[in-house]
Every structure is written in structure tokens, then in C-alpha cells.
Amino acid sequence: MPWVPEPDPDDVPFNEPYTAELDDGEKVTVTFTPEQSGSVFYLPILAISKVRGTIYEIRDDGSTQYGPAAIPPTDIDDMTVTFAPAKRFRDSTK
């Protein structure tokens, strides 16, 4: 499945992996914030490892875009397009 919208040749890829190991009952919030103010960022793929007993929720600019769900949008071994059209955000996604 192609990205929607297609990336512009001048676009800069955004790929910043994050790892957290949690004990039962612990929670982690990972926030990605654009470094270029006023820019619109597109999120076509969001991959997270699938772990039993985990609840996944994705928010961008304060709105829930995915979940809460017992499975992630896509697994890191899959890396297929998750959102078509791509989700857009300006301030943060977490």
C-alpha cells in the first residue's frame, strides 16, 4: 500500500526508535515532538512490539488516533503502512 500523501522529495524521514522495559502494571509514555515549528508531520507507519497484557493507545496533538487496544497498530517486524491516509500532527504524538 503506498503512503498517502506521497512523501515530497525534500521531506526528511522521521525515525527515532525507543525502547522501554516494564514490569507488570507499569506504564510508559513516549512523546515525539517536531523540532521544526509550524511544520506538518505525516505518520504513515507506527510500529510497536506486541507484548501480551499491554494496552496500546496513540495520541497526536491531544486526540486519540488509535486504541486503546490489546494489539499495536503494526509490529516492528511487519512495517506496513498503518494509516492511509497518513495521520498528520503539528505539536506531538505519544
Side-chain angles (χ1 to χ4, degrees):
M1 176 184 297
W3 289 13
V4 179
E6 285 289 325
D8 202 63
D10 295 328
D11 285 349
V12 177
F14 181 77
N15 183 10
E16 193 173 314
Y18 182 85
T19 301
E21 292 186 25
L22 305 173
D23 291 326
D24 288 347
E26 287 187 311
K27 175 182 176 180
V28 67
T29 300
V30 179
T31 303
F32 295 102
T33 305
E35 294 177 5
Q36 300 145 335
S37 66
S39 298
V40 175
F41 288 77
Y42 294 91
L43 181 68
I45 300 170
L46 182 62
I48 306 169
S49 293
K50 189 185 303 182
V51 178
R52 184 190 334 245
T54 300
I55 300 298
Y56 303 90
E57 183 174 11
I58 311 306
R59 295 176 163 263
D60 61 40
D61 292 339
S63 298
T64 300
Q65 299 297 326
Y66 180 84
I71 59 170
T74 192
D75 192 88
I76 59 171
D77 295 326
D78 187 12
M79 294 300 291
T80 60
V81 171
T82 309
F83 305 112
K87 298 292 183 184
R88 294 183 290 178
F89 68 97
R90 288 184 181 271
D91 297 326
S92 68
T93 189
K94 57 183 168 180

